[in-house]
């Protein structure tokens, strides 16, 4: 049986933070080496999460080495064939924990077409503190879009502190059933809202309000410890790149440098950034500083991480 207490690990290979249609959060690319990051802006068949598959890594000897506690996991590997149009044009092997797990993978043949989502899964028992995945070439370079590692037994740890604030807006219950407080704990800033639909989320109203200013901050009273902070953004005012660029600081440290939401996801689209930060003075400070025009935030989510 698994001794893992870890939550699921989801990595958007070659991509940024992403929330899928099931409201699961995928980390931006980490723990990966080899090959080159690629992006193909085309529709992807057999999925509602096109953006997850549009980014991928291609090249020889791609490695993904994920630190995890020992236990039993379901490993799900996500692929799409970006360009080959015939069976046998791209073939590669996948090793997991040093053993051949998937032999002669041909994404085009398995998915039935190019630009079509494919998921391969296998149960893995981990005992050495790191999950090792390696893709090696047979014909042309391997490709991979995302990796998902899900504990099969054991309960994920429940954070002893959670706080969600709807910046610039009222109290709100999201589609997953989480409660968000009305905007509070801020110093400075003004509010703005829109009724435009928001892409890349099912919780439009969370992103239709914002707090903004050339400088403002939030001061959240918390116990000392380490916290996971998720910042939610959407560009609901400007409709071009380089119109709004700003920095975000947490506990006095620069966390996000020169953020231009529009350049990353366009207008009226949800965008998330997640980080961990230690707190030693009883207050979690998050500051927003405009570089070009004003800084802004749609929502703040905080969880105890230690």
């Amino acid at each position: 049986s698994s001794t893992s207490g870890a939550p699921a690990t989801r990595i958007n290979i070659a991509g940024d933070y992403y929330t899928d249609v099931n409201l699961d959060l995928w980390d931006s690319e980490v723990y990966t080496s080899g090959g080159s990051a690629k992006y193909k802006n085309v529709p992807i068949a057999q999925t509602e999460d096109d953006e997850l598959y549009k980014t991928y890594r291609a090249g020889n000897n791609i490695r993904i080495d994920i630190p995890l506690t020992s236990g039993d996991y379901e490993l799900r590997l996500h692929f799409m064939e970006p360009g080959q149009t015939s069976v046998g044009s791209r073939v590669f092997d996948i090793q997991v924990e040093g053993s051949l797990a998937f032999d002669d993978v041909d994404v085009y043949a398995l998915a039935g077409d190019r630009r079509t989502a494919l998921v391969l899964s296998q149960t893995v028992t981990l005992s050495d503190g790191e999950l090792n995945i390696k893709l090696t070439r047979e014909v042309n370079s391997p490709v991979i879009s995302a990796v998902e590692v899900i504990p099969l037994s054991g309960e994920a740890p429940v954070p002893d502190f959670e706080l969600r604030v709807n910046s610039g807006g009222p109290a709100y219950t999201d589609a997953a059933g989480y409660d968000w407080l009305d905007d509070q704990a801020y110093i400075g800033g003004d509010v703005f809202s829109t009724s435009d639909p928001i892409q890349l989320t099912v919780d439009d109203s969370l992103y239709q309000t914002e707090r903004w200013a050339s400088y403002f901050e939030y001061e959240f009273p918390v116990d000392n410890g380490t916290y996971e902070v998720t910042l939610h953004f959407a560009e609901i005012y400007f409709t071009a790149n380089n119109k709004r660029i700003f920095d975000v600081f947490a506990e006095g440290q620069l966390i996000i440098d020169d953020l231009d939401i529009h350049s990353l996801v366009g207008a009226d689209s949800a965008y998330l950034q997640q980080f961990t930060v230690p707190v030693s003075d009883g207050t979690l400070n998050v500051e927003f500083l405009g570089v070009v025009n004003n800084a802004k935030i749609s929502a703040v989510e905080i969880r105890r991480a230690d």
Side-chain angles (χ1 to χ4, degrees), residues 10-233:
R10 297 180 174 89
I11 301 172
N12 184 13
I13 300 294
D16 214 325
Y17 290 102
Y18 174 71
T19 302
D20 64 25
V21 294
N22 294 318
L23 302 180
D24 291 322
L25 178 64
W26 297 71
D27 290 328
S28 59
E29 185 176 53
V30 287
Y31 311 130
T32 306
S33 61
S36 300
K38 305 286 186 179
Y39 177 74
K40 187 169 287 290
N41 190 18
V42 294
I44 308 298
Q46 300 302 316
T47 182
E48 296 181 81
D49 288 300
D50 293 42
E51 292 301 320
L52 193 65
Y53 293 88
K54 289 180 182 180
T55 59
Y56 61 96
R57 188 162 287 272
N60 297 330
N61 297 319
I62 297 171
R63 291 190 60 93
I64 304 149
D65 301 297
I66 306 171
L68 290 169
T69 56
S70 297
D72 297 329
Y73 295 87
E74 180 185 358
L75 172 64
R76 298 176 184 172
L77 304 177
H78 298 252
F79 309 88
M80 71 93 178
E81 173 51 60
Q84 301 297 333
T85 57
S86 61
V87 173
S89 295
R90 188 195 308 275
V91 181
F92 54 93
D93 293 337
I94 304 174
Q95 292 182 341
V96 177
E97 290 296 282
S99 298
L100 182 63
F102 301 97
D103 188 25
D104 292 341
V105 175
D106 183 335
V107 177
Y108 180 91
L110 293 170
D113 202 349
R114 65 173 179 165
R115 301 170 186 173
T116 300
L118 170 70
V119 181
L120 299 179
S121 64
Q122 184 182 82
T123 300
V124 178
T125 298
L126 188 66
S127 60
D128 62 357
E130 186 174 73
L131 175 60
N132 306 116
I133 305 164
K134 184 178 181 181
L135 287 70
T136 56
R137 171 190 179 123
E138 293 290 333
V139 179
N140 280 318
S141 299
V143 295
I144 186 165
S145 291
V147 176
E148 201 170 4
V149 188
I150 302 171
L152 290 178
S153 60
E155 294 297 324
V158 177
D160 60 5
F161 177 88
E162 292 187 352
L163 176 66
R164 297 176 179 87
V165 173
N166 183 16
S167 300
Y172 172 71
T173 301
D174 65 24
Y178 292 116
D179 292 324
W180 298 74
L181 301 177
D182 61 337
D183 199 5
Q184 55 190 265
Y186 56 83
I187 300 176
D190 293 302
V191 298
F192 177 73
S193 64
T194 181
S195 59
D196 293 343
I198 306 297
Q199 305 301 311
L200 306 181
T201 182
V202 295
D203 289 299
D204 294 42
S205 61
L206 193 66
Y207 298 88
Q208 289 170 331
T209 62
E210 66 178 29
R211 180 160 294 276
W212 65 270
S214 59
Y215 173 84
F216 64 98
E217 65 178 304
Y218 280 85
E219 293 186 350
F220 299 105
V222 297
D223 293 334
N224 292 341
T226 301
Y227 291 84
E228 178 185 87
V229 181
T230 305
L231 301 180
H232 298 251
F233 304 95

